[in-house]
Amino acid sequence: MAFIFIKTLFLFVSFSGLILHAHAHTARSPQARVWSLCKYTTNPVVCYKTIIPYAIGVKKFNYYQALEVEILATRDLVMNTTNLISVLLANPGNSKDLKDSLQTCFEQYDNIKDSIKESLNLVAQRNVIEMRFKFSAVLSYLAACTDEFPNSPIEKEGQDLFDLGGNCLDIMKAIEDRESRLRPGASPVPTPIVVTPPSAPSPCQNVIGPCS
């Protein structure tokens, strides 16, 4: 009887160990690590979908690399939108008000490109405090553009830029908080409010561009 009990106990402990090992392995997966970073951002699904392709298959994928991916995605969107504004500006049928508003947006998007370029240089230096200051101008320039339009022809692009830009700032804040906690003698940083993530990101939810 004692032998059966000991054998049963051994099997139970072994099975529990396997479960814990499997859980730990899952928690360290690229998907879990990227989601743990993205779940507090402005648009978690967009954050996850833009970063995860670069995190899979990489042994060491840190917060700064994730941030760089998100900033580069923002830059690509800005470049595409700038091209779209140029096409819209070339329409000879534009009213004067529309032409003036588009010109304002073209100038603001040009400013956005400069802020993104400066921010990317700061990623290489890992200067997240200065980076947040520089990159925050992106959303200010965007607001100067969107304020020009009651019915913007680039409304979707503006919303996509707001989401990506917000994600970048949120990741910068996460890095800054993390570095503050790791700094010797630093005061503890308050734990952020936990937002329940969606059960599974939809493959086409909030997609930027075509989705198949």
Side-chain angles (χ1 to χ4, degrees):
M1 186 71 178
F3 173 77
I4 295 174
F5 174 77
I6 292 172
K7 184 176 181 181
T8 303
L9 180 61
F10 174 77
L11 290 173
F12 174 76
V13 170
S14 298
F15 180 69
S16 299
L18 287 172
I19 293 176
L20 290 172
H21 176 75
H23 175 74
H25 178 74
T26 301
R28 291 193 299 267
S29 70
Q31 292 85 350
R33 286 186 287 118
V34 171
W35 182 252
S36 70
L37 173 64
C38 287
K39 63 184 177 181
Y40 300 113
T41 60
T42 300
N43 192 319
V45 174
V46 168
C47 175
Y48 181 87
K49 290 183 64 125
T50 50
I51 294 174
I52 193 62
Y54 298 88
I56 293 177
V58 178
K59 290 184 178 180
K60 293 183 178 180
F61 190 78
N62 59 45
Y63 278 21
Y64 278 99
Q65 290 171 305
L67 174 59
E68 184 175 26
V69 168
E70 200 72 351
I71 294 177
L72 289 172
T74 307
R75 185 186 66 180
D76 291 344
L77 174 62
V78 169
M79 297 295 292
N80 292 337
T81 306
T82 302
N83 293 335
L84 174 59
I85 295 172
S86 296
V87 172
L88 294 171
L89 273 170
N91 184 354
N94 290 337
S95 66
K96 183 181 183 305
D97 287 345
L98 177 57
K99 183 177 180 180
D100 290 345
S101 295
L102 286 170
Q103 185 61 43
T104 297
C105 283
F106 186 85
E107 293 167 0
Q108 297 306 321
Y109 270 77
D110 210 38
N111 292 332
I112 289 172
K113 286 188 285 186
D114 290 339
S115 293
I116 290 175
K117 182 179 179 181
E118 292 173 349
S119 298
L120 284 170
N121 291 335
L122 291 167
V123 171
Q125 300 172 29
R126 298 203 168 195
N127 186 346
V128 70
I129 296 175
E130 182 69 14
M131 194 190 315
R132 281 184 68 201
F133 173 75
K134 293 287 185 183
F135 197 90
S136 63
V138 168
L139 298 187
S140 297
Y141 292 134
L142 174 62
C145 168
T146 55
D147 288 348
E148 287 287 315
F149 284 109
N151 296 298
S152 174
I154 54 171
E155 181 178 1
K156 180 185 182 303
E157 289 77 9
Q159 182 59 52
D160 292 342
L161 177 54
F162 178 84
D163 289 344
L164 278 170
N167 287 350
C168 291
L169 288 170
D170 294 333
I171 295 173
M172 291 175 197
K173 181 64 167 60
I175 292 174
E176 188 176 347
D177 289 348
R178 186 171 183 271
E179 290 181 350
S180 295
R181 289 194 298 269
L182 296 176
R183 192 176 301 123
S187 301
V189 177
T191 303
I193 298 174
V194 175
V195 179
T196 304
S199 56
S202 169
C204 290
Q205 182 179 354
N206 295 321
V207 170
I208 299 173
C211 176
S212 58

